[in-house]
Amino acid sequence: MDTLIKRAAEDIAAAKLVTALTGAGISTESGIPPFRGKGGLWERFDPMEVAHIDAFMQDPTRVWEILLKEMKTIVEAARPNDSHTGLTKLENLGKLSTIITQNVDGLHQVAGSTDVIEFHGNFASHRCLDCQKQYASHEVQITQIPPRCDCNGILRPNAVFFGELIPPEALRRSQKIATDCDLMLVLGTSAEVQPAAMMPVIAKDTGATIIEINPQSTALTGTVSDYLIKGKAGEVMNRIIAELEQIL
Ligand code: OAD
């Protein structure tokens, strides 16, 4: 691993525009379960039954009871870990411009990253299905399920359900950053969900170096990514930053 850490630090130091694509794996060290693999949410639930917009619209009480209540509670209690703070340090070193995240936990922003594209929306705010009034997450009480607006409409998180469009501005900006960057770090994602998984492909096609950080190989490994640093994102980021600080 030492050689790859050194190589990553050198590649980042030489790059002009670095971006990162992050997924659920980087928040596991903050106590948020991933979706796929061991201990993943989709081991316990069928995403089409609990995370598809049609399932939510048909029976919001059930989806709140089974999935959203637990996610809201876990996300609100979570704090950033070394992966999030590592990416913030990279930005402070002038070596990361933008993070494209599939995560809805807002932890990059809590860690101090300033340009975060929330590809799948977020849990930080909720909106009323009837009048569209917006609520900060902490204003939404889950003592009553489903939680309701002042107008009695049902509330939903501003996260993207399966079957919904990616927020257009998030998609547009992500595609542009992927095209413009010359290095993309891909951390903690299985790269199985589209169109997020296309961002490293776009970056690669337009000449960028793709570095994956993940304890497991993914659909991108050996095809789209130039190399995989096998390990937990927090630990790997700490080592890359330490190496970079010696070079810069
Ligand atoms: P997944 O749960 O599919 O993948 C998590 C990845 O993180 C796996 O490749 C793990 O090997 C890796 N991983 C686990 N622990 C790690 C650690 N400590 N450091 C680094 N990597 C680690 O999560 P996503 O790829 O983010 O969408 O899933 C994509 C989308 O699928 C989510 O945004 C969500 C889900 O359904 C929606 O809800 C629309």
Side-chain angles (χ1 to χ4, degrees), residues 156-179:
R156 60 160 287 173
N158 280 326
V160 174
F161 284 92
F162 281 108
E164 289 193 298
L165 290 177
I166 301 304
E169 183 59 10
L171 181 59
R172 191 197 62 76
R173 277 204 71 214
S174 298
Q175 286 170 331
K176 172 146 178 42
I177 299 281
T179 306

Side-chain angles (χ1 to χ4, degrees), residues 101-106 109 116-125 127 156-161 165-167 170:
T101 189
Q102 297 164 86
N103 299 344
V104 294
D105 53 35
Q109 293 92 324
V116 182
I117 301 175
E118 295 183 310
F119 205 83
H120 290 159
N122 63 67
F123 251 76
S125 60
R127 69 177 185 271
R156 60 160 287 173
N158 280 326
V160 174
F161 284 92
L165 290 177
I166 301 304

Side-chain angles (χ1 to χ4, degrees), residues 123-140:
F123 251 76
S125 60
H126 290 60
R127 69 177 185 271
C128 173
L129 291 180
D130 289 346
C131 74
Q132 306 302 319
K133 182 174 173 185
Q134 301 278 334
Y135 290 84
S137 186
H138 68 264
E139 297 174 305
V140 175

Side-chain angles (χ1 to χ4, degrees), residues 23-25 28-29 34-36 42 102-103 120 160 162 188-191 193 213-216 218 231-233:
T28 55
E29 292 166 65
F35 295 97
R36 294 169 188 79
W42 303 156
Q102 297 164 86
N103 299 344
H120 290 159
V160 174
F162 281 108
T189 177
S190 61
V193 173
I213 302 173
N214 196 312
Q216 313 278 339
T218 74
K232 293 185 173 180

